[in-house]
Amino acid sequence: MKKKIALIFGITGQDGSYLAELLLRKNYVVYGVKRRTSLIHTTRIDHIYKDPHLKTNLILKYGDVTDFSNVFNLVNEIKPNEIYNLAAQSNVGVSFELAEYTAQTDSIGTLRILEAIRIIDKKRKMKFYQASTSEIFGNSPDKPYNEKSRFEPVSPYGTAKLYSFWITKNYREAYSIFASNGILFNHESPRRGENFISRKTIIGIIKVLKGHQKCLYLGNLNSKRDWGHAKEFVLAQWKILQHKTPDDFVIATGKNYSVKDLVNLVLKKLNIKCIWKRHQNGLEYAISMSDQGHIKKSQIVIKQDMRYFRPNEVHDLKGDYSKARRVIKWKPKINFDQLIDEMITQEMKNYK
Ligand code: NAP
Ligand code: G4F
């Protein structure tokens, strides 16, 4: 039987690496788009080349979603059955400083891929997956959020991604392209970027414990997120494209926790006993109550720092994934505690 061909924009990222593994195990030929960078940045997919069964079906191409001729040529040469657009400037905080670049990548990048499909794929055989996000709900009141909730993004990232959500739907309706959105809530893993809160907290606290860093600096501790595991969330991405009709799906766990809950859980799992105190200016800090590793009693282990607050914040994200459970038969199995456990275990190994 002829193998299916997938093209992944964003293969070097967290989700791209898990999705590539999933598709290769399902016997796809996977084309992945990597950017030209001054340093090699394929660490999340390098292990695939050590697996003799997987490596033969993985082909990497240089590309960038800000370059239409490149996107067009890739789609035209490869003629994939499925295209996954995971490419993005994906950091919400950074999007306030790189607003225009974020729009170029996260909005117009999507349009470029859809235009390439519209022009090249006259028979409408290609399927397109867009990595949408819970950030498009912003602080909208209708919680928990589902596919019918209002969109009120509050960051340049959320707004750029909302454009992509709508343009994907527009191209589906106007041109009959099989184009679907996965509205994914936060998902983490040992492969998460180091400047997102889960991985930053785990790496930071381990460094303090080992005496390689004095203190961990964080921003807003009160916001709540619905955190799942990336490995399970990429399965949903694939299932969305296997459904008989194109559609939009919320992918979440249905449970949420505050950033402070996350920090306290990491401290507990590493046996560090702390109490939280508050400065007169309102900023909080955590002091250790006993010696542990290189941490001394009364040492400040975590401190809030204004540098890590954002100009605007999404306060409380919780998703309702009942449509995905009903229609594509997807549900999460790994809970928050197990996710953090896995991330800490892997980080301790990395540390050694
Ligand atoms: P990630 O680790 O930051 O990966 C982003 C990927 O996009 C990387 O491979 C990156 O390449 C690539 N990229 C960035 N700019 C590009 C450009 N101009 N052209 C081509 N490729 C570009 O993100 P992730 O966590 O895997 O998330 C995957 C997608 O899902 C993103 O679109 C993100 O916005 C979205 N999303 C993520 C979450 C989440 O919680 N993880 C939730 C909802 C939606 P480099 O390696 O060269 O930087
Ligand atoms: O881990 P975060 O940076 O993730 P955020 O902003 O929720 O965005 C992630 O999830 C979205 C889905 O909802 C994706 F679309 C997006 O691509 C990305 O993957 O921050 C989580 C929370 C925020 O409230 C932030 O203000 O943690 C808070 N926080 C507090 N201190 C911090 C820090 N976030 C980061 N990155 N760094 C801090 O020092």
Side-chain angles (χ1 to χ4, degrees), residues 90-92 133-135 157 184-186 192 195-198 200 217-221 223 225 227 259 308 310 313-314 317:
S90 70
N91 192 301
V92 178
T133 162
S134 42
E135 279 287 311
Y157 170 82
L184 272 57
F185 283 63
N186 297 49
R192 185 56 146 151
N195 51 10
F196 294 93
I197 192 67
S198 59
K200 177 177 170 179
Y217 296 93
L218 297 176
N220 183 6
L221 301 173
S223 55
R225 292 291 182 270
W227 279 293
V259 172
Y308 298 107
R310 297 168 182 181
E313 179 66 277
V314 172
L317 284 176

PDB file of all heavy atoms in Angstrom, residues 90-92 133-135 157 184-186 192 195-198 200 217-221 223 225 227 259 308 310 313-314 317, ligand 2:
ATOM      1  N   SER A  90       5.894  30.959  19.566  1.00  0.00           N
ATOM      2  CA  SER A  90       4.869  30.380  20.437  1.00  0.00           C
ATOM      3  C   SER A  90       4.879  30.930  21.861  1.00  0.00           C
ATOM      4  O   SER A  90       4.118  30.464  22.696  1.00  0.00           O
ATOM      5  CB  SER A  90       5.026  28.855  20.469  1.00  0.00           C
ATOM      6  OG  SER A  90       6.207  28.511  21.164  1.00  0.00           O
ATOM      7  N   ASN A  91       5.739  31.896  22.135  1.00  0.00           N
ATOM      8  CA  ASN A  91       5.827  32.416  23.507  1.00  0.00           C
ATOM      9  C   ASN A  91       4.970  33.680  23.664  1.00  0.00           C
ATOM     10  O   ASN A  91       5.233  34.704  23.030  1.00  0.00           O
ATOM     11  CB  ASN A  91       7.302  32.699  23.844  1.00  0.00           C
ATOM     12  CG  ASN A  91       7.491  32.966  25.316  1.00  0.00           C
ATOM     13  OD1 ASN A  91       6.904  33.895  25.862  1.00  0.00           O
ATOM     14  ND2 ASN A  91       8.307  32.149  25.958  1.00  0.00           N
ATOM     15  N   VAL A  92       3.979  33.590  24.525  1.00  0.00           N
ATOM     16  CA  VAL A  92       3.022  34.693  24.697  1.00  0.00           C
ATOM     17  C   VAL A  92       3.725  35.945  25.211  1.00  0.00           C
ATOM     18  O   VAL A  92       3.532  37.051  24.696  1.00  0.00           O
ATOM     19  CB  VAL A  92       1.888  34.274  25.666  1.00  0.00           C
ATOM     20  CG1 VAL A  92       0.922  35.428  25.894  1.00  0.00           C
ATOM     21  CG2 VAL A  92       1.150  33.052  25.132  1.00  0.00           C
ATOM     22  N   THR A 133      -5.068  27.701  19.604  1.00  0.00           N
ATOM     23  CA  THR A 133      -4.686  27.750  21.016  1.00  0.00           C
ATOM     24  C   THR A 133      -5.783  28.322  21.912  1.00  0.00           C
ATOM     25  O   THR A 133      -6.583  29.166  21.473  1.00  0.00           O
ATOM     26  CB  THR A 133      -3.432  28.640  21.176  1.00  0.00           C
ATOM     27  OG1 THR A 133      -3.304  29.032  22.547  1.00  0.00           O
ATOM     28  CG2 THR A 133      -3.501  29.905  20.352  1.00  0.00           C
ATOM     29  N   SER A 134      -5.765  27.913  23.162  1.00  0.00           N
ATOM     30  CA  SER A 134      -6.701  28.446  24.161  1.00  0.00           C
ATOM     31  C   SER A 134      -6.481  29.940  24.400  1.00  0.00           C
ATOM     32  O   SER A 134      -7.365  30.614  24.945  1.00  0.00           O
ATOM     33  CB  SER A 134      -6.532  27.690  25.474  1.00  0.00           C
ATOM     34  OG  SER A 134      -5.180  27.462  25.773  1.00  0.00           O
ATOM     35  N   GLU A 135      -5.307  30.468  23.982  1.00  0.00           N
ATOM     36  CA  GLU A 135      -5.065  31.916  24.132  1.00  0.00           C
ATOM     37  C   GLU A 135      -6.087  32.739  23.353  1.00  0.00           C
ATOM     38  O   GLU A 135      -6.260  33.922  23.634  1.00  0.00           O
ATOM     39  CB  GLU A 135      -3.652  32.275  23.662  1.00  0.00           C
ATOM     40  CG  GLU A 135      -2.572  32.009  24.695  1.00  0.00           C
ATOM     41  CD  GLU A 135      -2.579  33.010  25.860  1.00  0.00           C
ATOM     42  OE1 GLU A 135      -2.617  34.227  25.608  1.00  0.00           O
ATOM     43  OE2 GLU A 135      -2.541  32.569  27.023  1.00  0.00           O
ATOM     44  N   TYR A 157       0.160  37.478  20.509  1.00  0.00           N
ATOM     45  CA  TYR A 157       0.167  36.050  20.135  1.00  0.00           C
ATOM     46  C   TYR A 157      -1.267  35.552  19.953  1.00  0.00           C
ATOM     47  O   TYR A 157      -1.618  34.969  18.923  1.00  0.00           O
ATOM     48  CB  TYR A 157       0.889  35.243  21.219  1.00  0.00           C
ATOM     49  CG  TYR A 157       0.754  33.742  21.062  1.00  0.00           C
ATOM     50  CD1 TYR A 157       1.563  33.031  20.184  1.00  0.00           C
ATOM     51  CD2 TYR A 157      -0.195  33.021  21.798  1.00  0.00           C
ATOM     52  CE1 TYR A 157       1.440  31.651  20.036  1.00  0.00           C
ATOM     53  CE2 TYR A 157      -0.334  31.651  21.668  1.00  0.00           C
ATOM     54  CZ  TYR A 157       0.486  30.963  20.786  1.00  0.00           C
ATOM     55  OH  TYR A 157       0.349  29.602  20.654  1.00  0.00           O
ATOM     56  N   LEU A 184      -5.829  23.935  21.172  1.00  0.00           N
ATOM     57  CA  LEU A 184      -5.159  23.199  22.240  1.00  0.00           C
ATOM     58  C   LEU A 184      -4.876  24.073  23.460  1.00  0.00           C
ATOM     59  O   LEU A 184      -4.402  25.211  23.317  1.00  0.00           O
ATOM     60  CB  LEU A 184      -3.854  22.585  21.717  1.00  0.00           C
ATOM     61  CG  LEU A 184      -4.021  21.186  21.092  1.00  0.00           C
ATOM     62  CD1 LEU A 184      -5.029  21.171  19.961  1.00  0.00           C
ATOM     63  CD2 LEU A 184      -2.697  20.620  20.640  1.00  0.00           C
ATOM     64  N   PHE A 185      -5.179  23.530  24.629  1.00  0.00           N
ATOM     65  CA  PHE A 185      -4.797  24.177  25.879  1.00  0.00           C
ATOM     66  C   PHE A 185      -3.344  23.793  26.169  1.00  0.00           C
ATOM     67  O   PHE A 185      -2.763  22.967  25.470  1.00  0.00           O
ATOM     68  CB  PHE A 185      -5.778  23.763  26.992  1.00  0.00           C
ATOM     69  CG  PHE A 185      -7.098  24.493  26.888  1.00  0.00           C
ATOM     70  CD1 PHE A 185      -7.919  24.325  25.778  1.00  0.00           C
ATOM     71  CD2 PHE A 185      -7.495  25.389  27.870  1.00  0.00           C
ATOM     72  CE1 PHE A 185      -9.117  25.035  25.640  1.00  0.00           C
ATOM     73  CE2 PHE A 185      -8.694  26.094  27.750  1.00  0.00           C
ATOM     74  CZ  PHE A 185      -9.501  25.926  26.638  1.00  0.00           C
ATOM     75  N   ASN A 186      -2.775  24.412  27.218  1.00  0.00           N
ATOM     76  CA  ASN A 186      -1.340  24.225  27.479  1.00  0.00           C
ATOM     77  C   ASN A 186      -0.975  22.738  27.569  1.00  0.00           C
ATOM     78  O   ASN A 186      -1.670  21.972  28.224  1.00  0.00           O
ATOM     79  CB  ASN A 186      -0.947  24.880  28.810  1.00  0.00           C
ATOM     80  CG  ASN A 186      -1.162  26.371  28.797  1.00  0.00           C
ATOM     81  OD1 ASN A 186      -2.227  26.843  28.410  1.00  0.00           O
ATOM     82  ND2 ASN A 186      -0.154  27.122  29.210  1.00  0.00           N
ATOM     83  N   ARG A 192       9.570  20.396  26.487  1.00  0.00           N
ATOM     84  CA  ARG A 192       9.029  21.750  26.481  1.00  0.00           C
ATOM     85  C   ARG A 192      10.172  22.766  26.408  1.00  0.00           C
ATOM     86  O   ARG A 192      11.258  22.552  26.991  1.00  0.00           O
ATOM     87  CB  ARG A 192       8.248  21.940  27.786  1.00  0.00           C
ATOM     88  CG  ARG A 192       7.505  23.236  27.924  1.00  0.00           C
ATOM     89  CD  ARG A 192       6.550  23.464  26.813  1.00  0.00           C
ATOM     90  NE  ARG A 192       5.346  24.181  27.234  1.00  0.00           N
ATOM     91  CZ  ARG A 192       4.647  24.970  26.435  1.00  0.00           C
ATOM     92  NH1 ARG A 192       5.028  25.174  25.179  1.00  0.00           N
ATOM     93  NH2 ARG A 192       3.552  25.548  26.863  1.00  0.00           N
ATOM     94  N   ASN A 195      11.870  28.234  28.423  1.00  0.00           N
ATOM     95  CA  ASN A 195      11.351  29.480  29.010  1.00  0.00           C
ATOM     96  C   ASN A 195       9.840  29.469  29.233  1.00  0.00           C
ATOM     97  O   ASN A 195       9.249  30.500  29.507  1.00  0.00           O
ATOM     98  CB  ASN A 195      11.795  30.712  28.205  1.00  0.00           C
ATOM     99  CG  ASN A 195      11.491  30.550  26.733  1.00  0.00           C
ATOM    100  OD1 ASN A 195      10.798  29.614  26.350  1.00  0.00           O
ATOM    101  ND2 ASN A 195      11.990  31.457  25.910  1.00  0.00           N
ATOM    102  N   PHE A 196       9.210  28.312  29.133  1.00  0.00           N
ATOM    103  CA  PHE A 196       7.804  28.196  29.539  1.00  0.00           C
ATOM    104  C   PHE A 196       7.776  27.795  31.017  1.00  0.00           C
ATOM    105  O   PHE A 196       8.714  27.164  31.514  1.00  0.00           O
ATOM    106  CB  PHE A 196       7.067  27.176  28.665  1.00  0.00           C
ATOM    107  CG  PHE A 196       6.969  27.627  27.235  1.00  0.00           C
ATOM    108  CD1 PHE A 196       7.930  27.255  26.304  1.00  0.00           C
ATOM    109  CD2 PHE A 196       5.946  28.469  26.827  1.00  0.00           C
ATOM    110  CE1 PHE A 196       7.874  27.697  24.995  1.00  0.00           C
ATOM    111  CE2 PHE A 196       5.879  28.925  25.513  1.00  0.00           C
ATOM    112  CZ  PHE A 196       6.842  28.543  24.591  1.00  0.00           C
ATOM    113  N   ILE A 197       6.681  28.143  31.694  1.00  0.00           N
ATOM    114  CA  ILE A 197       6.680  28.085  33.152  1.00  0.00           C
ATOM    115  C   ILE A 197       6.996  26.692  33.735  1.00  0.00           C
ATOM    116  O   ILE A 197       7.735  26.592  34.718  1.00  0.00           O
ATOM    117  CB  ILE A 197       5.354  28.646  33.746  1.00  0.00           C
ATOM    118  CG1 ILE A 197       5.461  28.855  35.250  1.00  0.00           C
ATOM    119  CG2 ILE A 197       4.178  27.749  33.434  1.00  0.00           C
ATOM    120  CD1 ILE A 197       6.393  29.922  35.677  1.00  0.00           C
ATOM    121  N   SER A 198       6.460  25.621  33.123  1.00  0.00           N
ATOM    122  CA  SER A 198       6.665  24.288  33.716  1.00  0.00           C
ATOM    123  C   SER A 198       8.154  23.928  33.720  1.00  0.00           C
ATOM    124  O   SER A 198       8.735  23.593  34.747  1.00  0.00           O
ATOM    125  CB  SER A 198       5.869  23.234  32.937  1.00  0.00           C
ATOM    126  OG  SER A 198       6.292  23.224  31.583  1.00  0.00           O
ATOM    127  N   LYS A 200      10.768  25.885  33.056  1.00  0.00           N
ATOM    128  CA  LYS A 200      11.600  26.892  33.722  1.00  0.00           C
ATOM    129  C   LYS A 200      11.614  26.640  35.228  1.00  0.00           C
ATOM    130  O   LYS A 200      12.669  26.707  35.869  1.00  0.00           O
ATOM    131  CB  LYS A 200      11.064  28.302  33.421  1.00  0.00           C
ATOM    132  CG  LYS A 200      11.835  29.391  34.140  1.00  0.00           C
ATOM    133  CD  LYS A 200      11.362  30.783  33.799  1.00  0.00           C
ATOM    134  CE  LYS A 200      12.016  31.791  34.752  1.00  0.00           C
ATOM    135  NZ  LYS A 200      11.625  33.180  34.489  1.00  0.00           N
ATOM    136  N   TYR A 217      13.603  33.282  39.682  1.00  0.00           N
ATOM    137  CA  TYR A 217      12.756  34.481  39.546  1.00  0.00           C
ATOM    138  C   TYR A 217      11.574  34.181  38.632  1.00  0.00           C
ATOM    139  O   TYR A 217      11.775  33.684  37.516  1.00  0.00           O
ATOM    140  CB  TYR A 217      13.575  35.639  38.976  1.00  0.00           C
ATOM    141  CG  TYR A 217      14.699  36.063  39.901  1.00  0.00           C
ATOM    142  CD1 TYR A 217      15.975  35.527  39.760  1.00  0.00           C
ATOM    143  CD2 TYR A 217      14.466  36.969  40.929  1.00  0.00           C
ATOM    144  CE1 TYR A 217      16.994  35.890  40.626  1.00  0.00           C
ATOM    145  CE2 TYR A 217      15.481  37.336  41.798  1.00  0.00           C
ATOM    146  CZ  TYR A 217      16.740  36.786  41.645  1.00  0.00           C
ATOM    147  OH  TYR A 217      17.747  37.143  42.503  1.00  0.00           O
ATOM    148  N   LEU A 218      10.375  34.483  39.102  1.00  0.00           N
ATOM    149  CA  LEU A 218       9.161  34.225  38.317  1.00  0.00           C
ATOM    150  C   LEU A 218       8.263  35.455  38.284  1.00  0.00           C
ATOM    151  O   LEU A 218       8.464  36.388  39.068  1.00  0.00           O
ATOM    152  CB  LEU A 218       8.380  33.051  38.919  1.00  0.00           C
ATOM    153  CG  LEU A 218       9.070  31.683  38.928  1.00  0.00           C
ATOM    154  CD1 LEU A 218       8.200  30.661  39.652  1.00  0.00           C
ATOM    155  CD2 LEU A 218       9.378  31.195  37.513  1.00  0.00           C
ATOM    156  N   GLY A 219       7.258  35.409  37.413  1.00  0.00           N
ATOM    157  CA  GLY A 219       6.290  36.507  37.306  1.00  0.00           C
ATOM    158  C   GLY A 219       5.006  36.203  38.061  1.00  0.00           C
ATOM    159  O   GLY A 219       5.034  35.866  39.246  1.00  0.00           O
ATOM    160  N   ASN A 220       3.878  36.252  37.336  1.00  0.00           N
ATOM    161  CA  ASN A 220       2.552  36.087  37.941  1.00  0.00           C
ATOM    162  C   ASN A 220       2.336  34.645  38.439  1.00  0.00           C
ATOM    163  O   ASN A 220       2.412  33.695  37.660  1.00  0.00           O
ATOM    164  CB  ASN A 220       1.520  36.443  36.865  1.00  0.00           C
ATOM    165  CG  ASN A 220       0.109  36.385  37.381  1.00  0.00           C
ATOM    166  OD1 ASN A 220      -0.134  36.191  38.566  1.00  0.00           O
ATOM    167  ND2 ASN A 220      -0.839  36.552  36.478  1.00  0.00           N
ATOM    168  N   LEU A 221       2.035  34.505  39.724  1.00  0.00           N
ATOM    169  CA  LEU A 221       1.834  33.164  40.293  1.00  0.00           C
ATOM    170  C   LEU A 221       0.355  32.799  40.368  1.00  0.00           C
ATOM    171  O   LEU A 221       0.009  31.671  40.715  1.00  0.00           O
ATOM    172  CB  LEU A 221       2.422  33.103  41.708  1.00  0.00           C
ATOM    173  CG  LEU A 221       3.917  33.410  41.844  1.00  0.00           C
ATOM    174  CD1 LEU A 221       4.307  33.469  43.330  1.00  0.00           C
ATOM    175  CD2 LEU A 221       4.753  32.345  41.139  1.00  0.00           C
ATOM    176  N   SER A 223      -2.151  33.150  37.915  1.00  0.00           N
ATOM    177  CA  SER A 223      -2.887  32.699  36.734  1.00  0.00           C
ATOM    178  C   SER A 223      -3.046  31.180  36.782  1.00  0.00           C
ATOM    179  O   SER A 223      -2.199  30.463  37.336  1.00  0.00           O
ATOM    180  CB  SER A 223      -2.164  33.125  35.455  1.00  0.00           C
ATOM    181  OG  SER A 223      -0.848  32.664  35.487  1.00  0.00           O
ATOM    182  N   ARG A 225      -3.832  27.528  34.611  1.00  0.00           N
ATOM    183  CA  ARG A 225      -3.755  26.904  33.293  1.00  0.00           C
ATOM    184  C   ARG A 225      -4.238  25.455  33.373  1.00  0.00           C
ATOM    185  O   ARG A 225      -4.133  24.801  34.409  1.00  0.00           O
ATOM    186  CB  ARG A 225      -2.299  26.898  32.772  1.00  0.00           C
ATOM    187  CG  ARG A 225      -1.748  28.294  32.432  1.00  0.00           C
ATOM    188  CD  ARG A 225      -2.426  28.878  31.222  1.00  0.00           C
ATOM    189  NE  ARG A 225      -1.899  30.184  30.837  1.00  0.00           N
ATOM    190  CZ  ARG A 225      -2.357  31.361  31.289  1.00  0.00           C
ATOM    191  NH1 ARG A 225      -3.356  31.388  32.163  1.00  0.00           N
ATOM    192  NH2 ARG A 225      -1.842  32.497  30.869  1.00  0.00           N
ATOM    193  N   TRP A 227      -3.211  22.140  32.155  1.00  0.00           N
ATOM    194  CA  TRP A 227      -1.980  21.566  31.607  1.00  0.00           C
ATOM    195  C   TRP A 227      -2.117  20.077  31.276  1.00  0.00           C
ATOM    196  O   TRP A 227      -2.441  19.279  32.174  1.00  0.00           O
ATOM    197  CB  TRP A 227      -0.839  21.698  32.624  1.00  0.00           C
ATOM    198  CG  TRP A 227      -0.167  23.027  32.689  1.00  0.00           C
ATOM    199  CD1 TRP A 227       0.606  23.608  31.731  1.00  0.00           C
ATOM    200  CD2 TRP A 227      -0.146  23.947  33.804  1.00  0.00           C
ATOM    201  NE1 TRP A 227       1.099  24.823  32.164  1.00  0.00           N
ATOM    202  CE2 TRP A 227       0.651  25.054  33.434  1.00  0.00           C
ATOM    203  CE3 TRP A 227      -0.714  23.942  35.074  1.00  0.00           C
ATOM    204  CZ2 TRP A 227       0.890  26.133  34.275  1.00  0.00           C
ATOM    205  CZ3 TRP A 227      -0.478  25.018  35.916  1.00  0.00           C
ATOM    206  CH2 TRP A 227       0.308  26.099  35.519  1.00  0.00           C
ATOM    207  N   VAL A 259      -0.254  28.821  38.786  1.00  0.00           N
ATOM    208  CA  VAL A 259       1.205  28.722  38.665  1.00  0.00           C
ATOM    209  C   VAL A 259       1.799  28.401  40.040  1.00  0.00           C
ATOM    210  O   VAL A 259       2.725  27.594  40.166  1.00  0.00           O
ATOM    211  CB  VAL A 259       1.789  30.037  38.087  1.00  0.00           C
ATOM    212  CG1 VAL A 259       3.306  30.038  38.137  1.00  0.00           C
ATOM    213  CG2 VAL A 259       1.309  30.244  36.647  1.00  0.00           C
ATOM    214  N   TYR A 308       9.233  39.469  34.781  1.00  0.00           N
ATOM    215  CA  TYR A 308       8.543  38.307  34.205  1.00  0.00           C
ATOM    216  C   TYR A 308       7.022  38.445  34.185  1.00  0.00           C
ATOM    217  O   TYR A 308       6.319  37.502  33.847  1.00  0.00           O
ATOM    218  CB  TYR A 308       8.980  37.024  34.928  1.00  0.00           C
ATOM    219  CG  TYR A 308      10.458  36.794  34.752  1.00  0.00           C
ATOM    220  CD1 TYR A 308      11.346  37.002  35.800  1.00  0.00           C
ATOM    221  CD2 TYR A 308      10.969  36.439  33.506  1.00  0.00           C
ATOM    222  CE1 TYR A 308      12.708  36.841  35.622  1.00  0.00           C
ATOM    223  CE2 TYR A 308      12.338  36.281  33.315  1.00  0.00           C
ATOM    224  CZ  TYR A 308      13.192  36.483  34.375  1.00  0.00           C
ATOM    225  OH  TYR A 308      14.536  36.325  34.181  1.00  0.00           O
ATOM    226  N   ARG A 310       3.637  40.108  32.460  1.00  0.00           N
ATOM    227  CA  ARG A 310       3.288  40.540  31.099  1.00  0.00           C
ATOM    228  C   ARG A 310       2.433  41.795  31.150  1.00  0.00           C
ATOM    229  O   ARG A 310       1.745  42.021  32.145  1.00  0.00           O
ATOM    230  CB  ARG A 310       2.509  39.414  30.409  1.00  0.00           C
ATOM    231  CG  ARG A 310       3.378  38.183  30.263  1.00  0.00           C
ATOM    232  CD  ARG A 310       2.602  36.950  29.865  1.00  0.00           C
ATOM    233  NE  ARG A 310       3.528  35.822  29.811  1.00  0.00           N
ATOM    234  CZ  ARG A 310       3.196  34.589  29.486  1.00  0.00           C
ATOM    235  NH1 ARG A 310       1.942  34.308  29.186  1.00  0.00           N
ATOM    236  NH2 ARG A 310       4.100  33.643  29.451  1.00  0.00           N
ATOM    237  N   GLU A 313      -2.611  39.749  30.873  1.00  0.00           N
ATOM    238  CA  GLU A 313      -2.528  38.342  31.274  1.00  0.00           C
ATOM    239  C   GLU A 313      -3.853  37.634  31.032  1.00  0.00           C
ATOM    240  O   GLU A 313      -4.931  38.225  31.184  1.00  0.00           O
ATOM    241  CB  GLU A 313      -2.165  38.299  32.769  1.00  0.00           C
ATOM    242  CG  GLU A 313      -2.055  36.931  33.408  1.00  0.00           C
ATOM    243  CD  GLU A 313      -0.903  36.078  32.895  1.00  0.00           C
ATOM    244  OE1 GLU A 313      -1.069  35.439  31.838  1.00  0.00           O
ATOM    245  OE2 GLU A 313       0.146  36.022  33.564  1.00  0.00           O
ATOM    246  N   VAL A 314      -3.791  36.372  30.658  1.00  0.00           N
ATOM    247  CA  VAL A 314      -4.968  35.498  30.643  1.00  0.00           C
ATOM    248  C   VAL A 314      -5.006  34.860  32.030  1.00  0.00           C
ATOM    249  O   VAL A 314      -4.060  34.189  32.443  1.00  0.00           O
ATOM    250  CB  VAL A 314      -4.837  34.425  29.542  1.00  0.00           C
ATOM    251  CG1 VAL A 314      -5.959  33.408  29.668  1.00  0.00           C
ATOM    252  CG2 VAL A 314      -4.860  35.070  28.167  1.00  0.00           C
ATOM    253  N   LEU A 317      -7.561  29.615  32.502  1.00  0.00           N
ATOM    254  CA  LEU A 317      -7.905  28.804  31.335  1.00  0.00           C
ATOM    255  C   LEU A 317      -8.311  27.397  31.754  1.00  0.00           C
ATOM    256  O   LEU A 317      -7.560  26.720  32.464  1.00  0.00           O
ATOM    257  CB  LEU A 317      -6.708  28.711  30.378  1.00  0.00           C
ATOM    258  CG  LEU A 317      -6.392  29.930  29.520  1.00  0.00           C
ATOM    259  CD1 LEU A 317      -5.132  29.699  28.699  1.00  0.00           C
ATOM    260  CD2 LEU A 317      -7.555  30.274  28.588  1.00  0.00           C
TER     261      LEU A 317
HETATM  262  O1  G4F B   2       4.198  28.660  30.351  1.00  0.00           O
HETATM  263  P1  G4F B   2       3.680  29.945  29.837  1.00  0.00           P
HETATM  264  O2  G4F B   2       4.639  30.869  29.180  1.00  0.00           O
HETATM  265  O3  G4F B   2       2.463  29.578  28.867  1.00  0.00           O
HETATM  266  P2  G4F B   2       1.256  30.444  28.279  1.00  0.00           P
HETATM  267  O4  G4F B   2       1.502  31.878  28.316  1.00  0.00           O
HETATM  268  O5  G4F B   2       0.016  29.954  28.936  1.00  0.00           O
HETATM  269  O6  G4F B   2       1.280  29.983  26.742  1.00  0.00           O
HETATM  270  C1  G4F B   2       1.447  28.626  26.366  1.00  0.00           C
HETATM  271  O7  G4F B   2       0.179  28.025  26.272  1.00  0.00           O
HETATM  272  C2  G4F B   2      -0.663  28.554  25.217  1.00  0.00           C
HETATM  273  C3  G4F B   2      -1.978  27.777  25.287  1.00  0.00           C
HETATM  274  O8  G4F B   2      -2.809  28.368  26.240  1.00  0.00           O
HETATM  275  C4  G4F B   2       0.049  28.338  23.896  1.00  0.00           C
HETATM  276  F1  G4F B   2      -0.747  28.765  22.883  1.00  0.00           F
HETATM  277  C5  G4F B   2       1.367  29.088  23.891  1.00  0.00           C
HETATM  278  O9  G4F B   2       2.043  28.834  22.671  1.00  0.00           O
HETATM  279  C6  G4F B   2       2.217  28.572  25.053  1.00  0.00           C
HETATM  280  O10 G4F B   2       2.581  27.245  24.776  1.00  0.00           O
HETATM  281  O11 G4F B   2       2.994  30.774  31.023  1.00  0.00           O
HETATM  282  C7  G4F B   2       1.994  30.201  31.832  1.00  0.00           C
HETATM  283  C8  G4F B   2       1.668  31.177  32.954  1.00  0.00           C
HETATM  284  C9  G4F B   2       1.355  32.593  32.461  1.00  0.00           C
HETATM  285  O12 G4F B   2       0.252  33.090  33.176  1.00  0.00           O
HETATM  286  C10 G4F B   2       2.595  33.397  32.834  1.00  0.00           C
HETATM  287  O13 G4F B   2       2.361  34.778  33.081  1.00  0.00           O
HETATM  288  O14 G4F B   2       2.809  31.301  33.794  1.00  0.00           O
HETATM  289  C11 G4F B   2       3.003  32.678  34.088  1.00  0.00           C
HETATM  290  N1  G4F B   2       4.408  32.902  34.473  1.00  0.00           N
HETATM  291  C12 G4F B   2       4.825  33.351  35.677  1.00  0.00           C
HETATM  292  N2  G4F B   2       6.160  33.493  35.682  1.00  0.00           N
HETATM  293  C13 G4F B   2       5.482  32.740  33.684  1.00  0.00           C
HETATM  294  C14 G4F B   2       6.587  33.107  34.453  1.00  0.00           C
HETATM  295  N3  G4F B   2       5.596  32.295  32.405  1.00  0.00           N
HETATM  296  C15 G4F B   2       6.843  32.208  31.890  1.00  0.00           C
HETATM  297  N4  G4F B   2       6.989  31.764  30.611  1.00  0.00           N
HETATM  298  N5  G4F B   2       7.963  32.601  32.600  1.00  0.00           N
HETATM  299  C16 G4F B   2       7.884  33.049  33.891  1.00  0.00           C
HETATM  300  O15 G4F B   2       8.888  33.375  34.507  1.00  0.00           O
END
